[in-house]
Amino acid sequence: MSSQLLTLAGNIFKSFNPSLISSPPPSTEESGHDVCYLGPNGEEDHQHYIYCKDLPAGQRGMVGSWYIHPERHVIEYIAFV
């Protein structure tokens, strides 16, 4: 029950910005197709990705991500607030 509630809360939290990837992209291009953002609605489909190589110069270092999973954000909010 509590894991389902945590998953639901994490999904709600992630819905605020579903295009963020789960961890930061590498600081330099490694594969030629490093993903910086998912699709606008969180689609994990190569046709909807925004690739780091397509970003303007210098913007790669400012890519936001979920440095910790949305579920962890919920846990930390509950624990510290």
Side-chain angles (χ1 to χ4, degrees):
M1 170 75 174
S2 63
S3 69
Q4 291 173 339
L5 184 60
L6 184 59
T7 300
L8 175 63
N11 289 338
I12 291 169
F13 190 71
K14 185 172 181 174
S15 72
F16 295 136
N17 197 344
S19 64
L20 292 181
I21 55 178
S22 60
S23 60
S27 58
T28 58
E29 190 71 28
E30 291 182 354
S31 66
H33 51 273
D34 294 340
V35 175
C36 275
Y37 294 102
L38 301 176
N41 297 310
E43 298 94 347
E44 294 188 30
D45 177 1
H46 71 278
Q47 294 176 340
H48 292 99
Y49 289 154
I50 296 176
Y51 294 98
C52 297
K53 66 182 179 181
D54 297 332
L55 296 176
Q59 190 173 354
R60 183 187 188 107
M62 295 182 275
V63 171
S65 66
W66 294 105
Y67 287 98
I68 59 175
H69 294 283
E71 292 84 0
R72 180 64 188 237
H73 279 288
V74 172
I75 291 171
E76 290 190 7
Y77 177 80
I78 292 168
F80 296 109
V81 175

